[in-house]
Amino acid sequence: AQTVTQSQPEMSVQEAETVTLSCTYDTSESDYYLFWYKQPPSRQMILVIRQEAYKQQNATENRFSVNFQKAAKSFSLKISDSQLGDAAMYFCAYRSLRRSGGGADGLTFGKGTHLIIQP
Amino acid sequence: NAGVTQTPKFRVLKTGQSMTLLCAQDMNHEYMYWYRQDPGMGLRLIHYSVGEGTTAKGEVPDGYNVSRLKKQNFLLGLESAAPSQTSVYFCASSRGGYLTDTQYFGPGTRLTVL
């Protein structure tokens, strides 16, 4: 079974600074996607960024970028110029195709990292 | 275009009672999912559906049943609620089963079982 590990229960960063959230995963699959979701206090799950395992180039979305190390099974999220609105729980997630065929599995999530932004 | 909606938003049950959570999506998505989120945990997949009339078990299916009689609706049932089912329940949908198909989440239902 695939597992996703987020080793940082909580991180704190000063506003306008850069912070990196860690994620490692375990899989024997060769084709999969990795995601970072943001969950603010409203509970809404918001997709921040995603990365296909076959792509060597790291994904970037404005102030959010990832460092994808496939051999190390590592997928960290870097947030640049942190803003107060970035304060939330961040979840790393994984998705692969079902071995039985017929499409992709649901998402497998890590336990999350609570990001605090200090003004 | 409301996206994914969930009914109700909050519910309190007594042990042994039954209830049904409703998820509705207006994006004509084929795939729908039910997850639960417990304190200090990420979301875990309960059941999912790859199309109208189909359902399949996820990671934590015990104690739940689901139905997908209409493409736009995915129901999650608890026949005899237990305190261990106290959780926040999220529904999600995606266009299909490709890895590139983004899952869109509803706002969640907070369920407390006393």
Side-chain angles (χ1 to χ4, degrees), chain A residues 33 37 39 43-45 50 91 95-96 98 102-104 106-107 109-111, chain B residues 31 33 35 37 40 42-43 48 90 97-103 105 107-108:
Chain A
Y33 262 76
Y37 277 87
Q39 186 180 43
R43 285 202 317 242
Q44 184 68 49
M45 295 292 288
R50 65 182 185 181
F91 292 95
R95 191 182 194 200
S96 68
R98 285 197 298 279
L107 293 161
F109 286 86
K111 293 185 177 182
Chain B
Y31 279 51
Y33 313 81
Y35 293 87
Q37 183 180 26
L43 281 67
Y48 64 97
F90 287 92
Y98 292 105
L99 289 177
T100 52
D101 289 329
T102 299
Q103 289 190 23
F105 285 83

PDB file of all heavy atoms in Angstrom, chain A residues 33 37 39 43-45 50 91 95-96 98 102-104 106-107 109-111, chain B residues 31 33 35 37 40 42-43 48 90 97-103 105 107-108:
ATOM      1  N   TYR A  33       0.720  10.667  -9.621  1.00  0.00           N
ATOM      2  CA  TYR A  33       0.695  12.111  -9.437  1.00  0.00           C
ATOM      3  C   TYR A  33       0.850  12.409  -7.949  1.00  0.00           C
ATOM      4  O   TYR A  33       0.402  11.644  -7.093  1.00  0.00           O
ATOM      5  CB  TYR A  33      -0.649  12.692  -9.917  1.00  0.00           C
ATOM      6  CG  TYR A  33      -0.615  13.274 -11.303  1.00  0.00           C
ATOM      7  CD1 TYR A  33      -0.605  12.439 -12.406  1.00  0.00           C
ATOM      8  CD2 TYR A  33      -0.641  14.647 -11.507  1.00  0.00           C
ATOM      9  CE1 TYR A  33      -0.595  12.970 -13.690  1.00  0.00           C
ATOM     10  CE2 TYR A  33      -0.636  15.182 -12.784  1.00  0.00           C
ATOM     11  CZ  TYR A  33      -0.614  14.339 -13.872  1.00  0.00           C
ATOM     12  OH  TYR A  33      -0.610  14.866 -15.139  1.00  0.00           O
ATOM     13  N   TYR A  37      -2.473  19.989  -1.135  1.00  0.00           N
ATOM     14  CA  TYR A  37      -3.755  20.620  -0.897  1.00  0.00           C
ATOM     15  C   TYR A  37      -3.632  21.540   0.319  1.00  0.00           C
ATOM     16  O   TYR A  37      -2.935  21.234   1.285  1.00  0.00           O
ATOM     17  CB  TYR A  37      -4.847  19.582  -0.613  1.00  0.00           C
ATOM     18  CG  TYR A  37      -5.463  18.970  -1.843  1.00  0.00           C
ATOM     19  CD1 TYR A  37      -4.891  17.857  -2.444  1.00  0.00           C
ATOM     20  CD2 TYR A  37      -6.634  19.498  -2.392  1.00  0.00           C
ATOM     21  CE1 TYR A  37      -5.465  17.289  -3.575  1.00  0.00           C
ATOM     22  CE2 TYR A  37      -7.212  18.926  -3.519  1.00  0.00           C
ATOM     23  CZ  TYR A  37      -6.623  17.825  -4.107  1.00  0.00           C
ATOM     24  OH  TYR A  37      -7.189  17.269  -5.221  1.00  0.00           O
ATOM     25  N   GLN A  39      -5.880  23.422   3.344  1.00  0.00           N
ATOM     26  CA  GLN A  39      -7.159  23.405   4.038  1.00  0.00           C
ATOM     27  C   GLN A  39      -7.187  24.535   5.060  1.00  0.00           C
ATOM     28  O   GLN A  39      -6.640  24.408   6.152  1.00  0.00           O
ATOM     29  CB  GLN A  39      -7.418  22.054   4.715  1.00  0.00           C
ATOM     30  CG  GLN A  39      -8.812  21.952   5.314  1.00  0.00           C
ATOM     31  CD  GLN A  39      -9.073  20.616   5.987  1.00  0.00           C
ATOM     32  OE1 GLN A  39      -8.222  20.095   6.701  1.00  0.00           O
ATOM     33  NE2 GLN A  39     -10.261  20.054   5.752  1.00  0.00           N
ATOM     34  N   ARG A  43     -12.338  24.679   6.217  1.00  0.00           N
ATOM     35  CA  ARG A  43     -12.341  23.230   5.929  1.00  0.00           C
ATOM     36  C   ARG A  43     -12.311  22.911   4.439  1.00  0.00           C
ATOM     37  O   ARG A  43     -12.120  21.768   4.072  1.00  0.00           O
ATOM     38  CB  ARG A  43     -13.568  22.526   6.531  1.00  0.00           C
ATOM     39  CG  ARG A  43     -13.569  22.301   7.994  1.00  0.00           C
ATOM     40  CD  ARG A  43     -14.519  21.177   8.389  1.00  0.00           C
ATOM     41  NE  ARG A  43     -15.782  21.199   7.713  1.00  0.00           N
ATOM     42  CZ  ARG A  43     -16.956  21.357   8.334  1.00  0.00           C
ATOM     43  NH1 ARG A  43     -16.978  21.550   9.638  1.00  0.00           N
ATOM     44  NH2 ARG A  43     -18.077  21.337   7.651  1.00  0.00           N
ATOM     45  N   GLN A  44     -12.494  23.895   3.593  1.00  0.00           N
ATOM     46  CA  GLN A  44     -12.500  23.617   2.162  1.00  0.00           C
ATOM     47  C   GLN A  44     -11.139  23.121   1.698  1.00  0.00           C
ATOM     48  O   GLN A  44     -10.116  23.709   2.022  1.00  0.00           O
ATOM     49  CB  GLN A  44     -12.862  24.899   1.392  1.00  0.00           C
ATOM     50  CG  GLN A  44     -12.989  24.713  -0.108  1.00  0.00           C
ATOM     51  CD  GLN A  44     -14.190  23.863  -0.482  1.00  0.00           C
ATOM     52  OE1 GLN A  44     -15.309  24.084  -0.009  1.00  0.00           O
ATOM     53  NE2 GLN A  44     -13.973  22.881  -1.335  1.00  0.00           N
ATOM     54  N   MET A  45     -11.101  22.031   0.937  1.00  0.00           N
ATOM     55  CA  MET A  45      -9.856  21.503   0.397  1.00  0.00           C
ATOM     56  C   MET A  45      -9.569  22.202  -0.927  1.00  0.00           C
ATOM     57  O   MET A  45     -10.369  22.138  -1.861  1.00  0.00           O
ATOM     58  CB  MET A  45      -9.968  19.994   0.176  1.00  0.00           C
ATOM     59  CG  MET A  45     -10.151  19.193   1.444  1.00  0.00           C
ATOM     60  SD  MET A  45      -8.699  19.227   2.504  1.00  0.00           S
ATOM     61  CE  MET A  45      -7.577  18.184   1.582  1.00  0.00           C
ATOM     62  N   ARG A  50       0.339  20.406  -8.375  1.00  0.00           N
ATOM     63  CA  ARG A  50       0.456  18.978  -8.602  1.00  0.00           C
ATOM     64  C   ARG A  50       1.653  18.701  -9.504  1.00  0.00           C
ATOM     65  O   ARG A  50       2.098  19.563 -10.262  1.00  0.00           O
ATOM     66  CB  ARG A  50      -0.821  18.422  -9.209  1.00  0.00           C
ATOM     67  CG  ARG A  50      -1.146  18.942 -10.589  1.00  0.00           C
ATOM     68  CD  ARG A  50      -2.459  18.364 -11.068  1.00  0.00           C
ATOM     69  NE  ARG A  50      -2.761  18.741 -12.434  1.00  0.00           N
ATOM     70  CZ  ARG A  50      -3.857  18.385 -13.076  1.00  0.00           C
ATOM     71  NH1 ARG A  50      -4.767  17.633 -12.467  1.00  0.00           N
ATOM     72  NH2 ARG A  50      -4.073  18.754 -14.325  1.00  0.00           N
ATOM     73  N   PHE A  91      -1.733  19.527   3.086  1.00  0.00           N
ATOM     74  CA  PHE A  91      -1.690  18.083   2.947  1.00  0.00           C
ATOM     75  C   PHE A  91      -1.002  17.693   1.654  1.00  0.00           C
ATOM     76  O   PHE A  91      -1.321  18.221   0.579  1.00  0.00           O
ATOM     77  CB  PHE A  91      -3.106  17.490   2.947  1.00  0.00           C
ATOM     78  CG  PHE A  91      -3.820  17.605   4.259  1.00  0.00           C
ATOM     79  CD1 PHE A  91      -4.684  18.664   4.496  1.00  0.00           C
ATOM     80  CD2 PHE A  91      -3.619  16.673   5.265  1.00  0.00           C
ATOM     81  CE1 PHE A  91      -5.349  18.780   5.702  1.00  0.00           C
ATOM     82  CE2 PHE A  91      -4.275  16.778   6.477  1.00  0.00           C
ATOM     83  CZ  PHE A  91      -5.143  17.835   6.701  1.00  0.00           C
ATOM     84  N   ARG A  95      -1.600   9.846  -5.899  1.00  0.00           N
ATOM     85  CA  ARG A  95      -2.621   9.120  -6.645  1.00  0.00           C
ATOM     86  C   ARG A  95      -1.961   8.312  -7.740  1.00  0.00           C
ATOM     87  O   ARG A  95      -1.109   8.831  -8.457  1.00  0.00           O
ATOM     88  CB  ARG A  95      -3.624  10.095  -7.256  1.00  0.00           C
ATOM     89  CG  ARG A  95      -4.872   9.422  -7.819  1.00  0.00           C
ATOM     90  CD  ARG A  95      -5.803  10.423  -8.462  1.00  0.00           C
ATOM     91  NE  ARG A  95      -7.112   9.844  -8.708  1.00  0.00           N
ATOM     92  CZ  ARG A  95      -7.986  10.330  -9.582  1.00  0.00           C
ATOM     93  NH1 ARG A  95      -7.700  11.402 -10.297  1.00  0.00           N
ATOM     94  NH2 ARG A  95      -9.156   9.738  -9.744  1.00  0.00           N
ATOM     95  N   SER A  96      -2.361   7.045  -7.869  1.00  0.00           N
ATOM     96  CA  SER A  96      -1.849   6.208  -8.951  1.00  0.00           C
ATOM     97  C   SER A  96      -3.010   5.471  -9.587  1.00  0.00           C
ATOM     98  O   SER A  96      -4.148   5.543  -9.124  1.00  0.00           O
ATOM     99  CB  SER A  96      -0.812   5.219  -8.425  1.00  0.00           C
ATOM    100  OG  SER A  96      -1.435   4.262  -7.588  1.00  0.00           O
ATOM    101  N   ARG A  98      -5.222   2.226 -10.532  1.00  0.00           N
ATOM    102  CA  ARG A  98      -5.545   0.986  -9.838  1.00  0.00           C
ATOM    103  C   ARG A  98      -4.898  -0.189 -10.545  1.00  0.00           C
ATOM    104  O   ARG A  98      -4.929  -0.281 -11.758  1.00  0.00           O
ATOM    105  CB  ARG A  98      -7.057   0.784  -9.792  1.00  0.00           C
ATOM    106  CG  ARG A  98      -7.752   1.683  -8.795  1.00  0.00           C
ATOM    107  CD  ARG A  98      -9.153   1.147  -8.511  1.00  0.00           C
ATOM    108  NE  ARG A  98      -9.977   1.122  -9.698  1.00  0.00           N
ATOM    109  CZ  ARG A  98     -10.620   2.182 -10.179  1.00  0.00           C
ATOM    110  NH1 ARG A  98     -10.505   3.343  -9.589  1.00  0.00           N
ATOM    111  NH2 ARG A  98     -11.365   2.076 -11.258  1.00  0.00           N
ATOM    112  N   GLY A 102      -9.025   0.097 -14.844  1.00  0.00           N
ATOM    113  CA  GLY A 102     -10.256   0.854 -14.730  1.00  0.00           C
ATOM    114  C   GLY A 102     -10.102   2.237 -14.173  1.00  0.00           C
ATOM    115  O   GLY A 102     -11.070   2.821 -13.706  1.00  0.00           O
ATOM    116  N   GLY A 103      -8.900   2.769 -14.188  1.00  0.00           N
ATOM    117  CA  GLY A 103      -8.782   4.169 -13.791  1.00  0.00           C
ATOM    118  C   GLY A 103      -7.952   4.350 -12.539  1.00  0.00           C
ATOM    119  O   GLY A 103      -7.332   3.421 -12.013  1.00  0.00           O
ATOM    120  N   ALA A 104      -7.972   5.563 -12.042  1.00  0.00           N
ATOM    121  CA  ALA A 104      -7.096   5.922 -10.930  1.00  0.00           C
ATOM    122  C   ALA A 104      -7.770   5.662  -9.593  1.00  0.00           C
ATOM    123  O   ALA A 104      -8.993   5.664  -9.461  1.00  0.00           O
ATOM    124  CB  ALA A 104      -6.707   7.386 -11.033  1.00  0.00           C
ATOM    125  N   GLY A 106      -8.433   6.666  -5.519  1.00  0.00           N
ATOM    126  CA  GLY A 106      -8.645   7.901  -4.790  1.00  0.00           C
ATOM    127  C   GLY A 106      -7.305   8.405  -4.296  1.00  0.00           C
ATOM    128  O   GLY A 106      -6.258   7.800  -4.508  1.00  0.00           O
ATOM    129  N   LEU A 107      -7.328   9.543  -3.644  1.00  0.00           N
ATOM    130  CA  LEU A 107      -6.110  10.143  -3.124  1.00  0.00           C
ATOM    131  C   LEU A 107      -5.711   9.496  -1.795  1.00  0.00           C
ATOM    132  O   LEU A 107      -6.565   9.165  -0.984  1.00  0.00           O
ATOM    133  CB  LEU A 107      -6.318  11.643  -2.915  1.00  0.00           C
ATOM    134  CG  LEU A 107      -6.512  12.458  -4.200  1.00  0.00           C
ATOM    135  CD1 LEU A 107      -7.161  13.798  -3.884  1.00  0.00           C
ATOM    136  CD2 LEU A 107      -5.190  12.660  -4.890  1.00  0.00           C
ATOM    137  N   PHE A 109      -3.562  10.556   1.470  1.00  0.00           N
ATOM    138  CA  PHE A 109      -3.093  11.794   2.092  1.00  0.00           C
ATOM    139  C   PHE A 109      -2.105  11.528   3.213  1.00  0.00           C
ATOM    140  O   PHE A 109      -2.156  10.502   3.906  1.00  0.00           O
ATOM    141  CB  PHE A 109      -4.279  12.562   2.702  1.00  0.00           C
ATOM    142  CG  PHE A 109      -5.161  13.236   1.700  1.00  0.00           C
ATOM    143  CD1 PHE A 109      -6.203  12.546   1.101  1.00  0.00           C
ATOM    144  CD2 PHE A 109      -4.973  14.568   1.365  1.00  0.00           C
ATOM    145  CE1 PHE A 109      -7.036  13.156   0.177  1.00  0.00           C
ATOM    146  CE2 PHE A 109      -5.809  15.193   0.456  1.00  0.00           C
ATOM    147  CZ  PHE A 109      -6.829  14.485  -0.143  1.00  0.00           C
ATOM    148  N   GLY A 110      -1.201  12.508   3.426  1.00  0.00           N
ATOM    149  CA  GLY A 110      -0.414  12.547   4.639  1.00  0.00           C
ATOM    150  C   GLY A 110      -1.246  13.160   5.765  1.00  0.00           C
ATOM    151  O   GLY A 110      -2.403  13.547   5.565  1.00  0.00           O
ATOM    152  N   LYS A 111      -0.632  13.251   6.962  1.00  0.00           N
ATOM    153  CA  LYS A 111      -1.372  13.741   8.123  1.00  0.00           C
ATOM    154  C   LYS A 111      -1.447  15.254   8.188  1.00  0.00           C
ATOM    155  O   LYS A 111      -2.173  15.801   9.008  1.00  0.00           O
ATOM    156  CB  LYS A 111      -0.749  13.194   9.410  1.00  0.00           C
ATOM    157  CG  LYS A 111      -0.912  11.694   9.559  1.00  0.00           C
ATOM    158  CD  LYS A 111      -0.385  11.212  10.907  1.00  0.00           C
ATOM    159  CE  LYS A 111      -0.628   9.709  11.060  1.00  0.00           C
ATOM    160  NZ  LYS A 111      -0.177   9.209  12.390  1.00  0.00           N
TER     161      LYS A 111
ATOM    162  N   TYR B  31     -16.712  10.279 -11.773  1.00  0.00           N
ATOM    163  CA  TYR B  31     -16.194   9.703 -10.542  1.00  0.00           C
ATOM    164  C   TYR B  31     -16.618  10.538  -9.335  1.00  0.00           C
ATOM    165  O   TYR B  31     -16.567  11.773  -9.376  1.00  0.00           O
ATOM    166  CB  TYR B  31     -14.658   9.663 -10.574  1.00  0.00           C
ATOM    167  CG  TYR B  31     -14.043   8.508 -11.324  1.00  0.00           C
ATOM    168  CD1 TYR B  31     -14.425   8.204 -12.617  1.00  0.00           C
ATOM    169  CD2 TYR B  31     -13.061   7.737 -10.731  1.00  0.00           C
ATOM    170  CE1 TYR B  31     -13.840   7.150 -13.307  1.00  0.00           C
ATOM    171  CE2 TYR B  31     -12.466   6.675 -11.405  1.00  0.00           C
ATOM    172  CZ  TYR B  31     -12.865   6.393 -12.692  1.00  0.00           C
ATOM    173  OH  TYR B  31     -12.281   5.343 -13.366  1.00  0.00           O
ATOM    174  N   TYR B  33     -16.392  10.398  -4.768  1.00  0.00           N
ATOM    175  CA  TYR B  33     -15.650   9.803  -3.660  1.00  0.00           C
ATOM    176  C   TYR B  33     -16.222  10.283  -2.323  1.00  0.00           C
ATOM    177  O   TYR B  33     -16.692  11.412  -2.208  1.00  0.00           O
ATOM    178  CB  TYR B  33     -14.175  10.226  -3.701  1.00  0.00           C
ATOM    179  CG  TYR B  33     -13.498  10.125  -5.038  1.00  0.00           C
ATOM    180  CD1 TYR B  33     -13.665  11.122  -6.004  1.00  0.00           C
ATOM    181  CD2 TYR B  33     -12.674   9.047  -5.343  1.00  0.00           C
ATOM    182  CE1 TYR B  33     -13.033  11.032  -7.230  1.00  0.00           C
ATOM    183  CE2 TYR B  33     -12.035   8.956  -6.572  1.00  0.00           C
ATOM    184  CZ  TYR B  33     -12.221   9.952  -7.517  1.00  0.00           C
ATOM    185  OH  TYR B  33     -11.591   9.863  -8.729  1.00  0.00           O
ATOM    186  N   TYR B  35     -14.666  10.644   1.615  1.00  0.00           N
ATOM    187  CA  TYR B  35     -13.516  10.572   2.499  1.00  0.00           C
ATOM    188  C   TYR B  35     -13.982  10.926   3.909  1.00  0.00           C
ATOM    189  O   TYR B  35     -14.951  11.640   4.095  1.00  0.00           O
ATOM    190  CB  TYR B  35     -12.442  11.581   2.100  1.00  0.00           C
ATOM    191  CG  TYR B  35     -11.759  11.351   0.777  1.00  0.00           C
ATOM    192  CD1 TYR B  35     -12.293  11.861  -0.404  1.00  0.00           C
ATOM    193  CD2 TYR B  35     -10.552  10.658   0.705  1.00  0.00           C
ATOM    194  CE1 TYR B  35     -11.643  11.679  -1.618  1.00  0.00           C
ATOM    195  CE2 TYR B  35      -9.899  10.471  -0.500  1.00  0.00           C
ATOM    196  CZ  TYR B  35     -10.449  10.990  -1.661  1.00  0.00           C
ATOM    197  OH  TYR B  35      -9.792  10.811  -2.863  1.00  0.00           O
ATOM    198  N   GLN B  37     -12.188  12.587   7.596  1.00  0.00           N
ATOM    199  CA  GLN B  37     -11.013  13.242   8.163  1.00  0.00           C
ATOM    200  C   GLN B  37     -11.153  13.257   9.675  1.00  0.00           C
ATOM    201  O   GLN B  37     -12.064  13.870  10.232  1.00  0.00           O
ATOM    202  CB  GLN B  37     -10.861  14.674   7.643  1.00  0.00           C
ATOM    203  CG  GLN B  37      -9.594  15.348   8.157  1.00  0.00           C
ATOM    204  CD  GLN B  37      -9.435  16.767   7.640  1.00  0.00           C
ATOM    205  OE1 GLN B  37     -10.403  17.446   7.310  1.00  0.00           O
ATOM    206  NE2 GLN B  37      -8.205  17.226   7.531  1.00  0.00           N
ATOM    207  N   GLY B  40      -5.883  15.201  13.449  1.00  0.00           N
ATOM    208  CA  GLY B  40      -4.490  14.804  13.289  1.00  0.00           C
ATOM    209  C   GLY B  40      -4.236  13.858  12.141  1.00  0.00           C
ATOM    210  O   GLY B  40      -3.146  13.289  12.026  1.00  0.00           O
ATOM    211  N   GLY B  42      -4.892  12.888   7.817  1.00  0.00           N
ATOM    212  CA  GLY B  42      -5.325  13.325   6.503  1.00  0.00           C
ATOM    213  C   GLY B  42      -6.636  12.656   6.149  1.00  0.00           C
ATOM    214  O   GLY B  42      -7.185  11.861   6.919  1.00  0.00           O
ATOM    215  N   LEU B  43      -7.153  12.949   4.988  1.00  0.00           N
ATOM    216  CA  LEU B  43      -8.392  12.329   4.552  1.00  0.00           C
ATOM    217  C   LEU B  43      -8.138  10.869   4.158  1.00  0.00           C
ATOM    218  O   LEU B  43      -7.104  10.539   3.581  1.00  0.00           O
ATOM    219  CB  LEU B  43      -8.969  13.075   3.340  1.00  0.00           C
ATOM    220  CG  LEU B  43      -9.712  14.369   3.622  1.00  0.00           C
ATOM    221  CD1 LEU B  43      -8.804  15.462   4.148  1.00  0.00           C
ATOM    222  CD2 LEU B  43     -10.437  14.836   2.362  1.00  0.00           C
ATOM    223  N   TYR B  48     -15.978   4.828  -3.229  1.00  0.00           N
ATOM    224  CA  TYR B  48     -15.982   5.671  -4.403  1.00  0.00           C
ATOM    225  C   TYR B  48     -16.871   5.049  -5.477  1.00  0.00           C
ATOM    226  O   TYR B  48     -17.320   3.904  -5.361  1.00  0.00           O
ATOM    227  CB  TYR B  48     -14.565   5.920  -4.927  1.00  0.00           C
ATOM    228  CG  TYR B  48     -13.834   4.689  -5.417  1.00  0.00           C
ATOM    229  CD1 TYR B  48     -13.801   4.363  -6.764  1.00  0.00           C
ATOM    230  CD2 TYR B  48     -13.147   3.877  -4.525  1.00  0.00           C
ATOM    231  CE1 TYR B  48     -13.128   3.245  -7.209  1.00  0.00           C
ATOM    232  CE2 TYR B  48     -12.474   2.754  -4.957  1.00  0.00           C
ATOM    233  CZ  TYR B  48     -12.459   2.438  -6.292  1.00  0.00           C
ATOM    234  OH  TYR B  48     -11.788   1.319  -6.739  1.00  0.00           O
ATOM    235  N   PHE B  90     -15.967  14.296   3.782  1.00  0.00           N
ATOM    236  CA  PHE B  90     -15.822  15.078   2.558  1.00  0.00           C
ATOM    237  C   PHE B  90     -16.220  14.235   1.361  1.00  0.00           C
ATOM    238  O   PHE B  90     -15.840  13.069   1.236  1.00  0.00           O
ATOM    239  CB  PHE B  90     -14.374  15.540   2.363  1.00  0.00           C
ATOM    240  CG  PHE B  90     -13.942  16.621   3.291  1.00  0.00           C
ATOM    241  CD1 PHE B  90     -13.332  16.325   4.488  1.00  0.00           C
ATOM    242  CD2 PHE B  90     -14.158  17.956   2.952  1.00  0.00           C
ATOM    243  CE1 PHE B  90     -12.933  17.335   5.348  1.00  0.00           C
ATOM    244  CE2 PHE B  90     -13.758  18.967   3.806  1.00  0.00           C
ATOM    245  CZ  PHE B  90     -13.147  18.656   5.002  1.00  0.00           C
ATOM    246  N   GLY B  97     -11.282   8.960 -14.497  1.00  0.00           N
ATOM    247  CA  GLY B  97     -10.307   8.215 -13.709  1.00  0.00           C
ATOM    248  C   GLY B  97      -8.878   8.394 -14.177  1.00  0.00           C
ATOM    249  O   GLY B  97      -8.003   7.631 -13.783  1.00  0.00           O
ATOM    250  N   TYR B  98      -8.629   9.388 -15.027  1.00  0.00           N
ATOM    251  CA  TYR B  98      -7.258   9.652 -15.429  1.00  0.00           C
ATOM    252  C   TYR B  98      -6.518  10.324 -14.275  1.00  0.00           C
ATOM    253  O   TYR B  98      -7.091  11.062 -13.483  1.00  0.00           O
ATOM    254  CB  TYR B  98      -7.205  10.562 -16.648  1.00  0.00           C
ATOM    255  CG  TYR B  98      -7.733   9.904 -17.899  1.00  0.00           C
ATOM    256  CD1 TYR B  98      -8.996  10.246 -18.390  1.00  0.00           C
ATOM    257  CD2 TYR B  98      -6.993   8.963 -18.582  1.00  0.00           C
ATOM    258  CE1 TYR B  98      -9.496   9.647 -19.534  1.00  0.00           C
ATOM    259  CE2 TYR B  98      -7.487   8.353 -19.723  1.00  0.00           C
ATOM    260  CZ  TYR B  98      -8.723   8.703 -20.189  1.00  0.00           C
ATOM    261  OH  TYR B  98      -9.226   8.106 -21.320  1.00  0.00           O
ATOM    262  N   LEU B  99      -5.234  10.086 -14.214  1.00  0.00           N
ATOM    263  CA  LEU B  99      -4.429  10.716 -13.166  1.00  0.00           C
ATOM    264  C   LEU B  99      -4.486  12.232 -13.255  1.00  0.00           C
ATOM    265  O   LEU B  99      -4.320  12.924 -12.263  1.00  0.00           O
ATOM    266  CB  LEU B  99      -2.981  10.240 -13.252  1.00  0.00           C
ATOM    267  CG  LEU B  99      -2.719   8.789 -12.833  1.00  0.00           C
ATOM    268  CD1 LEU B  99      -1.257   8.452 -13.057  1.00  0.00           C
ATOM    269  CD2 LEU B  99      -3.102   8.578 -11.379  1.00  0.00           C
ATOM    270  N   THR B 100      -4.713  12.738 -14.439  1.00  0.00           N
ATOM    271  CA  THR B 100      -4.760  14.188 -14.635  1.00  0.00           C
ATOM    272  C   THR B 100      -6.085  14.805 -14.216  1.00  0.00           C
ATOM    273  O   THR B 100      -6.199  16.023 -14.164  1.00  0.00           O
ATOM    274  CB  THR B 100      -4.535  14.529 -16.116  1.00  0.00           C
ATOM    275  OG1 THR B 100      -5.444  13.754 -16.900  1.00  0.00           O
ATOM    276  CG2 THR B 100      -3.106  14.199 -16.535  1.00  0.00           C
ATOM    277  N   ASP B 101      -7.082  13.987 -13.908  1.00  0.00           N
ATOM    278  CA  ASP B 101      -8.397  14.522 -13.553  1.00  0.00           C
ATOM    279  C   ASP B 101      -8.409  15.008 -12.111  1.00  0.00           C
ATOM    280  O   ASP B 101      -8.305  14.228 -11.172  1.00  0.00           O
ATOM    281  CB  ASP B 101      -9.486  13.456 -13.754  1.00  0.00           C
ATOM    282  CG  ASP B 101      -9.744  13.180 -15.223  1.00  0.00           C
ATOM    283  OD1 ASP B 101      -9.575  14.113 -16.031  1.00  0.00           O
ATOM    284  OD2 ASP B 101     -10.116  12.042 -15.560  1.00  0.00           O
ATOM    285  N   THR B 102      -8.568  16.298 -11.946  1.00  0.00           N
ATOM    286  CA  THR B 102      -8.550  16.903 -10.614  1.00  0.00           C
ATOM    287  C   THR B 102      -9.780  16.513  -9.819  1.00  0.00           C
ATOM    288  O   THR B 102     -10.898  16.455 -10.360  1.00  0.00           O
ATOM    289  CB  THR B 102      -8.500  18.435 -10.750  1.00  0.00           C
ATOM    290  OG1 THR B 102      -7.306  18.792 -11.441  1.00  0.00           O
ATOM    291  CG2 THR B 102      -8.517  19.111  -9.383  1.00  0.00           C
ATOM    292  N   GLN B 103      -9.585  16.243  -8.538  1.00  0.00           N
ATOM    293  CA  GLN B 103     -10.722  16.001  -7.643  1.00  0.00           C
ATOM    294  C   GLN B 103     -11.149  17.326  -7.023  1.00  0.00           C
ATOM    295  O   GLN B 103     -10.326  18.065  -6.490  1.00  0.00           O
ATOM    296  CB  GLN B 103     -10.338  15.013  -6.544  1.00  0.00           C
ATOM    297  CG  GLN B 103     -10.156  13.591  -7.062  1.00  0.00           C
ATOM    298  CD  GLN B 103     -10.005  12.569  -5.968  1.00  0.00           C
ATOM    299  OE1 GLN B 103     -10.434  12.767  -4.836  1.00  0.00           O
ATOM    300  NE2 GLN B 103      -9.403  11.440  -6.309  1.00  0.00           N
ATOM    301  N   PHE B 105     -13.522  19.090  -4.172  1.00  0.00           N
ATOM    302  CA  PHE B 105     -14.076  18.698  -2.890  1.00  0.00           C
ATOM    303  C   PHE B 105     -15.267  19.574  -2.492  1.00  0.00           C
ATOM    304  O   PHE B 105     -15.315  20.770  -2.811  1.00  0.00           O
ATOM    305  CB  PHE B 105     -13.006  18.807  -1.798  1.00  0.00           C
ATOM    306  CG  PHE B 105     -12.004  17.693  -1.844  1.00  0.00           C
ATOM    307  CD1 PHE B 105     -10.923  17.740  -2.708  1.00  0.00           C
ATOM    308  CD2 PHE B 105     -12.157  16.579  -1.027  1.00  0.00           C
ATOM    309  CE1 PHE B 105     -10.004  16.704  -2.750  1.00  0.00           C
ATOM    310  CE2 PHE B 105     -11.244  15.541  -1.067  1.00  0.00           C
ATOM    311  CZ  PHE B 105     -10.164  15.599  -1.928  1.00  0.00           C
ATOM    312  N   PRO B 107     -17.662  21.057   0.860  1.00  0.00           N
ATOM    313  CA  PRO B 107     -17.253  21.790   2.061  1.00  0.00           C
ATOM    314  C   PRO B 107     -17.174  20.947   3.316  1.00  0.00           C
ATOM    315  O   PRO B 107     -16.718  21.424   4.348  1.00  0.00           O
ATOM    316  CB  PRO B 107     -18.352  22.850   2.201  1.00  0.00           C
ATOM    317  CG  PRO B 107     -19.552  22.200   1.591  1.00  0.00           C
ATOM    318  CD  PRO B 107     -19.038  21.367   0.463  1.00  0.00           C
ATOM    319  N   GLY B 108     -17.614  19.690   3.254  1.00  0.00           N
ATOM    320  CA  GLY B 108     -17.528  18.811   4.414  1.00  0.00           C
ATOM    321  C   GLY B 108     -18.780  18.799   5.263  1.00  0.00           C
ATOM    322  O   GLY B 108     -19.557  19.764   5.285  1.00  0.00           O
TER     323      GLY B 108
END
